[in-house]
Amino acid sequence: MGKDVIIACDFPTGDAALAFLDNFTEEKPYVKIGMELFYSAGAPIIRAVKERGHKIFLDLKLHDIPNTVKQAMAVLSALDVDMVNLHAAGTRAMMEAALEGLMRPDGTRPLLIAVTQLTSTSQERMRDELLIDMPIDEVVLRYAENAARAGLDGVVCSPLEAGAVHGRCGGSFLTVTPGVRFADGDVGDQVRVATPERAKQLGSDYIVVGRPITKAEDPVAAYRRCVAEFVG
Ligand code: C5P
């Protein structure tokens, strides 16, 4: 599986996202479309970005009863996206149902990636509100193992966790890692960050990079720098 840089297209409207992608005349970056853009621009923005030749990671983090997730995944799969995700907390039955829903008539399907614990969830909140007593690092790995057992392709995690996830779930289990910053750039609200080069050394399979590219003075140069550091 080739390493790639995914640009987090966190824009409020379809027009803003397409205007940003207009910058890219030579390469066709893999893009992540999340809740904000999808809820504002819907299926048409997926089709428009696909028509321009980009791969799409549709980041909607589904979590519901197995049958509902299965039917919803069938709808997303028909949009011809390349990667989708869900919460591993939905249980293995939900993850297996999601995989069934994603399968297309021609036998292909998007990659399916699990969110383990959100990075906004602290050890204390997990213990006091989610009532989970285990150390959060172990919870992340156990949820990743559940995802692997359900047949998923990988997890979203920090680059700093990529090695442990591969150790527990196998080298071909994908790690899709946000929290990437240039050595000389702003960290912003991210806490546990790594540079693209360090993410590569740590074994990330895909890095998800938002503001270091979308807010850069020259987004194409910033994207190329990520690719040069991460893919080489
Ligand atoms: O702008 P930035 O590079 O921080 O964007 C990272 C992207 O990855 C955002 O879309 C953010 O929502 C997403 N993400 C994250 N941390 C997670 C899961 C998703 O930063 N644990």
Side-chain angles (χ1 to χ4, degrees), residues 121-157:
T121 305
S122 65
Q123 179 77 56
E124 292 68 37
R125 286 184 183 154
M126 200 183 67
R127 186 192 59 221
D128 298 342
E129 298 178 34
L130 306 184
L131 312 179
I132 300 171
D133 275 331
M134 263 187 213
I136 194 160
D137 293 349
E138 184 58 22
V139 173
V140 165
L141 291 175
R142 297 273 184 106
Y143 279 31
E145 280 181 304
N146 277 343
R149 249 182 259 148
L152 268 69
D153 301 293
V155 287
V156 179
C157 63

PDB file of all heavy atoms in Angstrom, residues 121-157:
ATOM      1  N   THR A 121     -10.651  13.359  23.715  1.00  0.00           N
ATOM      2  CA  THR A 121     -11.057  12.649  24.936  1.00  0.00           C
ATOM      3  C   THR A 121      -9.830  12.396  25.805  1.00  0.00           C
ATOM      4  O   THR A 121      -8.906  11.713  25.385  1.00  0.00           O
ATOM      5  CB  THR A 121     -11.724  11.301  24.581  1.00  0.00           C
ATOM      6  OG1 THR A 121     -12.802  11.547  23.689  1.00  0.00           O
ATOM      7  CG2 THR A 121     -12.238  10.603  25.822  1.00  0.00           C
ATOM      8  N   SER A 122      -9.832  12.944  27.002  1.00  0.00           N
ATOM      9  CA  SER A 122      -8.700  12.734  27.914  1.00  0.00           C
ATOM     10  C   SER A 122      -8.922  11.472  28.740  1.00  0.00           C
ATOM     11  O   SER A 122     -10.036  10.940  28.812  1.00  0.00           O
ATOM     12  CB  SER A 122      -8.572  13.934  28.861  1.00  0.00           C
ATOM     13  OG  SER A 122      -9.722  13.979  29.692  1.00  0.00           O
ATOM     14  N   GLN A 123      -7.849  11.036  29.381  1.00  0.00           N
ATOM     15  CA  GLN A 123      -7.939   9.874  30.292  1.00  0.00           C
ATOM     16  C   GLN A 123      -9.031  10.102  31.347  1.00  0.00           C
ATOM     17  O   GLN A 123      -9.834   9.215  31.625  1.00  0.00           O
ATOM     18  CB  GLN A 123      -6.578   9.683  30.975  1.00  0.00           C
ATOM     19  CG  GLN A 123      -6.526   8.534  31.955  1.00  0.00           C
ATOM     20  CD  GLN A 123      -6.424   7.181  31.268  1.00  0.00           C
ATOM     21  OE1 GLN A 123      -5.514   6.958  30.472  1.00  0.00           O
ATOM     22  NE2 GLN A 123      -7.347   6.293  31.554  1.00  0.00           N
ATOM     23  N   GLU A 124      -9.082  11.328  31.882  1.00  0.00           N
ATOM     24  CA  GLU A 124     -10.034  11.621  32.966  1.00  0.00           C
ATOM     25  C   GLU A 124     -11.482  11.565  32.454  1.00  0.00           C
ATOM     26  O   GLU A 124     -12.358  10.982  33.097  1.00  0.00           O
ATOM     27  CB  GLU A 124      -9.776  13.022  33.557  1.00  0.00           C
ATOM     28  CG  GLU A 124      -8.481  13.151  34.323  1.00  0.00           C
ATOM     29  CD  GLU A 124      -7.238  13.041  33.432  1.00  0.00           C
ATOM     30  OE1 GLU A 124      -7.275  13.541  32.267  1.00  0.00           O
ATOM     31  OE2 GLU A 124      -6.236  12.434  33.862  1.00  0.00           O
ATOM     32  N   ARG A 125     -11.717  12.163  31.280  1.00  0.00           N
ATOM     33  CA  ARG A 125     -13.091  12.172  30.760  1.00  0.00           C
ATOM     34  C   ARG A 125     -13.536  10.763  30.384  1.00  0.00           C
ATOM     35  O   ARG A 125     -14.698  10.403  30.536  1.00  0.00           O
ATOM     36  CB  ARG A 125     -13.191  13.092  29.549  1.00  0.00           C
ATOM     37  CG  ARG A 125     -13.150  14.541  29.964  1.00  0.00           C
ATOM     38  CD  ARG A 125     -13.355  15.431  28.767  1.00  0.00           C
ATOM     39  NE  ARG A 125     -13.244  16.817  29.180  1.00  0.00           N
ATOM     40  CZ  ARG A 125     -12.886  17.796  28.365  1.00  0.00           C
ATOM     41  NH1 ARG A 125     -12.602  17.549  27.105  1.00  0.00           N
ATOM     42  NH2 ARG A 125     -12.815  19.031  28.805  1.00  0.00           N
ATOM     43  N   MET A 126     -12.592   9.992  29.868  1.00  0.00           N
ATOM     44  CA  MET A 126     -12.918   8.622  29.493  1.00  0.00           C
ATOM     45  C   MET A 126     -13.327   7.824  30.738  1.00  0.00           C
ATOM     46  O   MET A 126     -14.285   7.063  30.717  1.00  0.00           O
ATOM     47  CB  MET A 126     -11.694   7.985  28.819  1.00  0.00           C
ATOM     48  CG  MET A 126     -12.022   6.789  27.972  1.00  0.00           C
ATOM     49  SD  MET A 126     -10.529   6.065  27.289  1.00  0.00           S
ATOM     50  CE  MET A 126      -9.753   5.467  28.775  1.00  0.00           C
ATOM     51  N   ARG A 127     -12.590   8.038  31.835  1.00  0.00           N
ATOM     52  CA  ARG A 127     -12.887   7.324  33.084  1.00  0.00           C
ATOM     53  C   ARG A 127     -14.195   7.834  33.705  1.00  0.00           C
ATOM     54  O   ARG A 127     -15.071   7.047  34.054  1.00  0.00           O
ATOM     55  CB  ARG A 127     -11.720   7.524  34.056  1.00  0.00           C
ATOM     56  CG  ARG A 127     -11.846   6.705  35.346  1.00  0.00           C
ATOM     57  CD  ARG A 127     -10.835   7.164  36.372  1.00  0.00           C
ATOM     58  NE  ARG A 127     -11.041   8.583  36.682  1.00  0.00           N
ATOM     59  CZ  ARG A 127     -10.057   9.483  36.848  1.00  0.00           C
ATOM     60  NH1 ARG A 127      -8.798   9.130  36.746  1.00  0.00           N
ATOM     61  NH2 ARG A 127     -10.333  10.746  37.124  1.00  0.00           N
ATOM     62  N   ASP A 128     -14.341   9.166  33.809  1.00  0.00           N
ATOM     63  CA  ASP A 128     -15.468   9.723  34.561  1.00  0.00           C
ATOM     64  C   ASP A 128     -16.774   9.766  33.767  1.00  0.00           C
ATOM     65  O   ASP A 128     -17.851   9.676  34.346  1.00  0.00           O
ATOM     66  CB  ASP A 128     -15.141  11.149  35.030  1.00  0.00           C
ATOM     67  CG  ASP A 128     -13.945  11.153  35.974  1.00  0.00           C
ATOM     68  OD1 ASP A 128     -13.617  10.072  36.500  1.00  0.00           O
ATOM     69  OD2 ASP A 128     -13.335  12.227  36.166  1.00  0.00           O
ATOM     70  N   GLU A 129     -16.676   9.911  32.430  1.00  0.00           N
ATOM     71  CA  GLU A 129     -17.898  10.072  31.647  1.00  0.00           C
ATOM     72  C   GLU A 129     -18.213   8.853  30.783  1.00  0.00           C
ATOM     73  O   GLU A 129     -19.373   8.496  30.611  1.00  0.00           O
ATOM     74  CB  GLU A 129     -17.798  11.334  30.780  1.00  0.00           C
ATOM     75  CG  GLU A 129     -17.649  12.595  31.629  1.00  0.00           C
ATOM     76  CD  GLU A 129     -17.493  13.855  30.791  1.00  0.00           C
ATOM     77  OE1 GLU A 129     -18.091  13.937  29.703  1.00  0.00           O
ATOM     78  OE2 GLU A 129     -16.748  14.750  31.224  1.00  0.00           O
ATOM     79  N   LEU A 130     -17.169   8.230  30.231  1.00  0.00           N
ATOM     80  CA  LEU A 130     -17.415   7.025  29.418  1.00  0.00           C
ATOM     81  C   LEU A 130     -17.320   5.760  30.276  1.00  0.00           C
ATOM     82  O   LEU A 130     -17.633   4.676  29.816  1.00  0.00           O
ATOM     83  CB  LEU A 130     -16.429   6.946  28.247  1.00  0.00           C
ATOM     84  CG  LEU A 130     -16.351   8.170  27.321  1.00  0.00           C
ATOM     85  CD1 LEU A 130     -15.409   7.898  26.152  1.00  0.00           C
ATOM     86  CD2 LEU A 130     -17.727   8.543  26.800  1.00  0.00           C
ATOM     87  N   LEU A 131     -16.856   5.909  31.516  1.00  0.00           N
ATOM     88  CA  LEU A 131     -16.787   4.814  32.486  1.00  0.00           C
ATOM     89  C   LEU A 131     -15.839   3.704  32.033  1.00  0.00           C
ATOM     90  O   LEU A 131     -16.089   2.526  32.266  1.00  0.00           O
ATOM     91  CB  LEU A 131     -18.189   4.262  32.783  1.00  0.00           C
ATOM     92  CG  LEU A 131     -19.267   5.323  33.082  1.00  0.00           C
ATOM     93  CD1 LEU A 131     -20.607   4.676  33.338  1.00  0.00           C
ATOM     94  CD2 LEU A 131     -18.851   6.190  34.272  1.00  0.00           C
ATOM     95  N   ILE A 132     -14.740   4.110  31.362  1.00  0.00           N
ATOM     96  CA  ILE A 132     -13.712   3.146  30.945  1.00  0.00           C
ATOM     97  C   ILE A 132     -12.476   3.387  31.819  1.00  0.00           C
ATOM     98  O   ILE A 132     -11.911   4.485  31.814  1.00  0.00           O
ATOM     99  CB  ILE A 132     -13.348   3.340  29.451  1.00  0.00           C
ATOM    100  CG1 ILE A 132     -14.586   3.142  28.571  1.00  0.00           C
ATOM    101  CG2 ILE A 132     -12.226   2.381  29.045  1.00  0.00           C
ATOM    102  CD1 ILE A 132     -14.383   3.522  27.112  1.00  0.00           C
ATOM    103  N   ASP A 133     -12.068   2.355  32.544  1.00  0.00           N
ATOM    104  CA  ASP A 133     -10.999   2.507  33.534  1.00  0.00           C
ATOM    105  C   ASP A 133      -9.591   2.266  33.008  1.00  0.00           C
ATOM    106  O   ASP A 133      -8.618   2.637  33.649  1.00  0.00           O
ATOM    107  CB  ASP A 133     -11.245   1.551  34.716  1.00  0.00           C
ATOM    108  CG  ASP A 133     -12.182   2.186  35.740  1.00  0.00           C
ATOM    109  OD1 ASP A 133     -12.173   3.429  35.821  1.00  0.00           O
ATOM    110  OD2 ASP A 133     -12.918   1.441  36.406  1.00  0.00           O
ATOM    111  N   MET A 134      -9.457   1.612  31.872  1.00  0.00           N
ATOM    112  CA  MET A 134      -8.119   1.253  31.362  1.00  0.00           C
ATOM    113  C   MET A 134      -7.326   2.478  30.916  1.00  0.00           C
ATOM    114  O   MET A 134      -7.926   3.497  30.561  1.00  0.00           O
ATOM    115  CB  MET A 134      -8.293   0.385  30.124  1.00  0.00           C
ATOM    116  CG  MET A 134      -8.198  -1.069  30.378  1.00  0.00           C
ATOM    117  SD  MET A 134      -8.236  -1.867  28.772  1.00  0.00           S
ATOM    118  CE  MET A 134      -9.085  -3.321  29.266  1.00  0.00           C
ATOM    119  N   PRO A 135      -5.992   2.367  30.895  1.00  0.00           N
ATOM    120  CA  PRO A 135      -5.195   3.467  30.348  1.00  0.00           C
ATOM    121  C   PRO A 135      -5.602   3.734  28.888  1.00  0.00           C
ATOM    122  O   PRO A 135      -5.844   2.785  28.139  1.00  0.00           O
ATOM    123  CB  PRO A 135      -3.756   2.936  30.408  1.00  0.00           C
ATOM    124  CG  PRO A 135      -3.787   1.813  31.380  1.00  0.00           C
ATOM    125  CD  PRO A 135      -5.176   1.246  31.364  1.00  0.00           C
ATOM    126  N   ILE A 136      -5.666   4.994  28.518  1.00  0.00           N
ATOM    127  CA  ILE A 136      -6.204   5.346  27.197  1.00  0.00           C
ATOM    128  C   ILE A 136      -5.373   4.730  26.049  1.00  0.00           C
ATOM    129  O   ILE A 136      -5.939   4.318  25.034  1.00  0.00           O
ATOM    130  CB  ILE A 136      -6.366   6.883  27.055  1.00  0.00           C
ATOM    131  CG1 ILE A 136      -7.240   7.210  25.841  1.00  0.00           C
ATOM    132  CG2 ILE A 136      -5.026   7.592  27.012  1.00  0.00           C
ATOM    133  CD1 ILE A 136      -7.854   8.592  25.867  1.00  0.00           C
ATOM    134  N   ASP A 137      -4.054   4.624  26.227  1.00  0.00           N
ATOM    135  CA  ASP A 137      -3.229   4.027  25.161  1.00  0.00           C
ATOM    136  C   ASP A 137      -3.641   2.584  24.894  1.00  0.00           C
ATOM    137  O   ASP A 137      -3.655   2.124  23.753  1.00  0.00           O
ATOM    138  CB  ASP A 137      -1.739   4.045  25.550  1.00  0.00           C
ATOM    139  CG  ASP A 137      -1.207   5.458  25.622  1.00  0.00           C
ATOM    140  OD1 ASP A 137      -1.919   6.381  25.178  1.00  0.00           O
ATOM    141  OD2 ASP A 137      -0.086   5.641  26.129  1.00  0.00           O
ATOM    142  N   GLU A 138      -3.968   1.872  25.981  1.00  0.00           N
ATOM    143  CA  GLU A 138      -4.383   0.470  25.833  1.00  0.00           C
ATOM    144  C   GLU A 138      -5.779   0.396  25.203  1.00  0.00           C
ATOM    145  O   GLU A 138      -6.051  -0.485  24.381  1.00  0.00           O
ATOM    146  CB  GLU A 138      -4.353  -0.214  27.210  1.00  0.00           C
ATOM    147  CG  GLU A 138      -4.664  -1.694  27.187  1.00  0.00           C
ATOM    148  CD  GLU A 138      -3.744  -2.544  26.293  1.00  0.00           C
ATOM    149  OE1 GLU A 138      -2.615  -2.108  26.006  1.00  0.00           O
ATOM    150  OE2 GLU A 138      -4.180  -3.640  25.871  1.00  0.00           O
ATOM    151  N   VAL A 139      -6.655   1.329  25.565  1.00  0.00           N
ATOM    152  CA  VAL A 139      -7.997   1.349  24.975  1.00  0.00           C
ATOM    153  C   VAL A 139      -7.891   1.548  23.468  1.00  0.00           C
ATOM    154  O   VAL A 139      -8.552   0.860  22.679  1.00  0.00           O
ATOM    155  CB  VAL A 139      -8.860   2.462  25.622  1.00  0.00           C
ATOM    156  CG1 VAL A 139     -10.198   2.608  24.905  1.00  0.00           C
ATOM    157  CG2 VAL A 139      -9.076   2.164  27.098  1.00  0.00           C
ATOM    158  N   VAL A 140      -7.016   2.468  23.050  1.00  0.00           N
ATOM    159  CA  VAL A 140      -6.816   2.722  21.613  1.00  0.00           C
ATOM    160  C   VAL A 140      -6.382   1.435  20.911  1.00  0.00           C
ATOM    161  O   VAL A 140      -6.925   1.064  19.866  1.00  0.00           O
ATOM    162  CB  VAL A 140      -5.766   3.848  21.413  1.00  0.00           C
ATOM    163  CG1 VAL A 140      -5.263   3.898  19.986  1.00  0.00           C
ATOM    164  CG2 VAL A 140      -6.370   5.197  21.825  1.00  0.00           C
ATOM    165  N   LEU A 141      -5.443   0.699  21.520  1.00  0.00           N
ATOM    166  CA  LEU A 141      -4.939  -0.527  20.874  1.00  0.00           C
ATOM    167  C   LEU A 141      -5.994  -1.635  20.875  1.00  0.00           C
ATOM    168  O   LEU A 141      -6.130  -2.361  19.890  1.00  0.00           O
ATOM    169  CB  LEU A 141      -3.657  -0.997  21.574  1.00  0.00           C
ATOM    170  CG  LEU A 141      -2.447  -0.084  21.351  1.00  0.00           C
ATOM    171  CD1 LEU A 141      -1.266  -0.554  22.188  1.00  0.00           C
ATOM    172  CD2 LEU A 141      -2.056  -0.035  19.878  1.00  0.00           C
ATOM    173  N   ARG A 142      -6.768  -1.749  21.961  1.00  0.00           N
ATOM    174  CA  ARG A 142      -7.820  -2.779  21.999  1.00  0.00           C
ATOM    175  C   ARG A 142      -8.906  -2.482  20.963  1.00  0.00           C
ATOM    176  O   ARG A 142      -9.418  -3.384  20.323  1.00  0.00           O
ATOM    177  CB  ARG A 142      -8.475  -2.840  23.388  1.00  0.00           C
ATOM    178  CG  ARG A 142      -7.542  -3.244  24.491  1.00  0.00           C
ATOM    179  CD  ARG A 142      -7.474  -4.769  24.648  1.00  0.00           C
ATOM    180  NE  ARG A 142      -6.649  -5.081  25.783  1.00  0.00           N
ATOM    181  CZ  ARG A 142      -7.115  -5.518  26.962  1.00  0.00           C
ATOM    182  NH1 ARG A 142      -8.396  -5.718  27.128  1.00  0.00           N
ATOM    183  NH2 ARG A 142      -6.283  -5.757  27.952  1.00  0.00           N
ATOM    184  N   TYR A 143      -9.266  -1.201  20.818  1.00  0.00           N
ATOM    185  CA  TYR A 143     -10.274  -0.839  19.818  1.00  0.00           C
ATOM    186  C   TYR A 143      -9.719  -1.104  18.408  1.00  0.00           C
ATOM    187  O   TYR A 143     -10.438  -1.546  17.524  1.00  0.00           O
ATOM    188  CB  TYR A 143     -10.674   0.636  19.950  1.00  0.00           C
ATOM    189  CG  TYR A 143     -11.683   0.954  21.032  1.00  0.00           C
ATOM    190  CD1 TYR A 143     -11.745   0.219  22.210  1.00  0.00           C
ATOM    191  CD2 TYR A 143     -12.575   2.010  20.882  1.00  0.00           C
ATOM    192  CE1 TYR A 143     -12.672   0.525  23.203  1.00  0.00           C
ATOM    193  CE2 TYR A 143     -13.511   2.322  21.868  1.00  0.00           C
ATOM    194  CZ  TYR A 143     -13.552   1.581  23.024  1.00  0.00           C
ATOM    195  OH  TYR A 143     -14.468   1.894  24.002  1.00  0.00           O
ATOM    196  N   ALA A 144      -8.425  -0.841  18.235  1.00  0.00           N
ATOM    197  CA  ALA A 144      -7.807  -1.119  16.929  1.00  0.00           C
ATOM    198  C   ALA A 144      -7.851  -2.618  16.641  1.00  0.00           C
ATOM    199  O   ALA A 144      -8.150  -3.034  15.515  1.00  0.00           O
ATOM    200  CB  ALA A 144      -6.364  -0.610  16.908  1.00  0.00           C
ATOM    201  N   GLU A 145      -7.584  -3.436  17.665  1.00  0.00           N
ATOM    202  CA  GLU A 145      -7.662  -4.901  17.482  1.00  0.00           C
ATOM    203  C   GLU A 145      -9.085  -5.334  17.119  1.00  0.00           C
ATOM    204  O   GLU A 145      -9.274  -6.202  16.272  1.00  0.00           O
ATOM    205  CB  GLU A 145      -7.247  -5.616  18.770  1.00  0.00           C
ATOM    206  CG  GLU A 145      -5.760  -5.696  18.956  1.00  0.00           C
ATOM    207  CD  GLU A 145      -5.405  -6.437  20.238  1.00  0.00           C
ATOM    208  OE1 GLU A 145      -5.870  -6.032  21.318  1.00  0.00           O
ATOM    209  OE2 GLU A 145      -4.679  -7.423  20.137  1.00  0.00           O
ATOM    210  N   ASN A 146     -10.077  -4.747  17.762  1.00  0.00           N
ATOM    211  CA  ASN A 146     -11.471  -5.064  17.410  1.00  0.00           C
ATOM    212  C   ASN A 146     -11.746  -4.727  15.953  1.00  0.00           C
ATOM    213  O   ASN A 146     -12.412  -5.482  15.246  1.00  0.00           O
ATOM    214  CB  ASN A 146     -12.445  -4.252  18.280  1.00  0.00           C
ATOM    215  CG  ASN A 146     -12.683  -4.896  19.623  1.00  0.00           C
ATOM    216  OD1 ASN A 146     -12.384  -6.072  19.806  1.00  0.00           O
ATOM    217  ND2 ASN A 146     -13.198  -4.121  20.547  1.00  0.00           N
ATOM    218  N   ALA A 147     -11.242  -3.578  15.526  1.00  0.00           N
ATOM    219  CA  ALA A 147     -11.452  -3.149  14.134  1.00  0.00           C
ATOM    220  C   ALA A 147     -10.776  -4.141  13.183  1.00  0.00           C
ATOM    221  O   ALA A 147     -11.357  -4.531  12.166  1.00  0.00           O
ATOM    222  CB  ALA A 147     -10.903  -1.742  13.934  1.00  0.00           C
ATOM    223  N   ALA A 148      -9.563  -4.553  13.521  1.00  0.00           N
ATOM    224  CA  ALA A 148      -8.846  -5.506  12.666  1.00  0.00           C
ATOM    225  C   ALA A 148      -9.601  -6.830  12.616  1.00  0.00           C
ATOM    226  O   ALA A 148      -9.758  -7.434  11.552  1.00  0.00           O
ATOM    227  CB  ALA A 148      -7.423  -5.719  13.182  1.00  0.00           C
ATOM    228  N   ARG A 149     -10.104  -7.271  13.762  1.00  0.00           N
ATOM    229  CA  ARG A 149     -10.839  -8.543  13.812  1.00  0.00           C
ATOM    230  C   ARG A 149     -12.134  -8.469  13.001  1.00  0.00           C
ATOM    231  O   ARG A 149     -12.583  -9.459  12.440  1.00  0.00           O
ATOM    232  CB  ARG A 149     -11.153  -8.923  15.253  1.00  0.00           C
ATOM    233  CG  ARG A 149     -10.346 -10.142  15.672  1.00  0.00           C
ATOM    234  CD  ARG A 149     -10.691 -10.561  17.072  1.00  0.00           C
ATOM    235  NE  ARG A 149      -9.663 -10.075  17.972  1.00  0.00           N
ATOM    236  CZ  ARG A 149      -9.864  -9.712  19.224  1.00  0.00           C
ATOM    237  NH1 ARG A 149     -11.056  -9.744  19.752  1.00  0.00           N
ATOM    238  NH2 ARG A 149      -8.863  -9.315  19.957  1.00  0.00           N
ATOM    239  N   ALA A 150     -12.737  -7.286  12.958  1.00  0.00           N
ATOM    240  CA  ALA A 150     -13.971  -7.118  12.174  1.00  0.00           C
ATOM    241  C   ALA A 150     -13.667  -7.059  10.674  1.00  0.00           C
ATOM    242  O   ALA A 150     -14.592  -7.078   9.864  1.00  0.00           O
ATOM    243  CB  ALA A 150     -14.701  -5.850  12.612  1.00  0.00           C
ATOM    244  N   GLY A 151     -12.372  -6.956  10.319  1.00  0.00           N
ATOM    245  CA  GLY A 151     -12.009  -6.942   8.899  1.00  0.00           C
ATOM    246  C   GLY A 151     -11.760  -5.558   8.339  1.00  0.00           C
ATOM    247  O   GLY A 151     -11.612  -5.390   7.126  1.00  0.00           O
ATOM    248  N   LEU A 152     -11.706  -4.544   9.231  1.00  0.00           N
ATOM    249  CA  LEU A 152     -11.454  -3.180   8.731  1.00  0.00           C
ATOM    250  C   LEU A 152     -10.022  -3.050   8.233  1.00  0.00           C
ATOM    251  O   LEU A 152      -9.164  -3.893   8.513  1.00  0.00           O
ATOM    252  CB  LEU A 152     -11.733  -2.153   9.839  1.00  0.00           C
ATOM    253  CG  LEU A 152     -13.177  -1.625   9.831  1.00  0.00           C
ATOM    254  CD1 LEU A 152     -14.163  -2.697  10.243  1.00  0.00           C
ATOM    255  CD2 LEU A 152     -13.320  -0.409  10.732  1.00  0.00           C
ATOM    256  N   ASP A 153      -9.780  -1.961   7.521  1.00  0.00           N
ATOM    257  CA  ASP A 153      -8.469  -1.779   6.884  1.00  0.00           C
ATOM    258  C   ASP A 153      -7.481  -1.032   7.757  1.00  0.00           C
ATOM    259  O   ASP A 153      -6.284  -1.063   7.490  1.00  0.00           O
ATOM    260  CB  ASP A 153      -8.657  -1.020   5.566  1.00  0.00           C
ATOM    261  CG  ASP A 153      -9.585  -1.764   4.640  1.00  0.00           C
ATOM    262  OD1 ASP A 153      -9.206  -2.857   4.184  1.00  0.00           O
ATOM    263  OD2 ASP A 153     -10.710  -1.277   4.403  1.00  0.00           O
ATOM    264  N   GLY A 154      -7.952  -0.316   8.783  1.00  0.00           N
ATOM    265  CA  GLY A 154      -7.017   0.439   9.601  1.00  0.00           C
ATOM    266  C   GLY A 154      -7.727   1.347  10.570  1.00  0.00           C
ATOM    267  O   GLY A 154      -8.939   1.268  10.757  1.00  0.00           O
ATOM    268  N   VAL A 155      -6.944   2.222  11.207  1.00  0.00           N
ATOM    269  CA  VAL A 155      -7.484   3.185  12.168  1.00  0.00           C
ATOM    270  C   VAL A 155      -6.919   4.585  11.921  1.00  0.00           C
ATOM    271  O   VAL A 155      -5.852   4.738  11.316  1.00  0.00           O
ATOM    272  CB  VAL A 155      -7.145   2.818  13.640  1.00  0.00           C
ATOM    273  CG1 VAL A 155      -7.948   1.633  14.120  1.00  0.00           C
ATOM    274  CG2 VAL A 155      -5.652   2.601  13.830  1.00  0.00           C
ATOM    275  N   VAL A 156      -7.652   5.558  12.422  1.00  0.00           N
ATOM    276  CA  VAL A 156      -7.138   6.918  12.531  1.00  0.00           C
ATOM    277  C   VAL A 156      -6.395   6.981  13.861  1.00  0.00           C
ATOM    278  O   VAL A 156      -6.921   6.542  14.877  1.00  0.00           O
ATOM    279  CB  VAL A 156      -8.287   7.960  12.557  1.00  0.00           C
ATOM    280  CG1 VAL A 156      -7.722   9.368  12.688  1.00  0.00           C
ATOM    281  CG2 VAL A 156      -9.156   7.842  11.328  1.00  0.00           C
ATOM    282  N   CYS A 157      -5.187   7.463  13.862  1.00  0.00           N
ATOM    283  CA  CYS A 157      -4.450   7.596  15.128  1.00  0.00           C
ATOM    284  C   CYS A 157      -3.377   8.666  14.977  1.00  0.00           C
ATOM    285  O   CYS A 157      -3.182   9.210  13.886  1.00  0.00           O
ATOM    286  CB  CYS A 157      -3.825   6.257  15.536  1.00  0.00           C
ATOM    287  SG  CYS A 157      -2.586   5.623  14.385  1.00  0.00           S
TER     288      CYS A 157
END
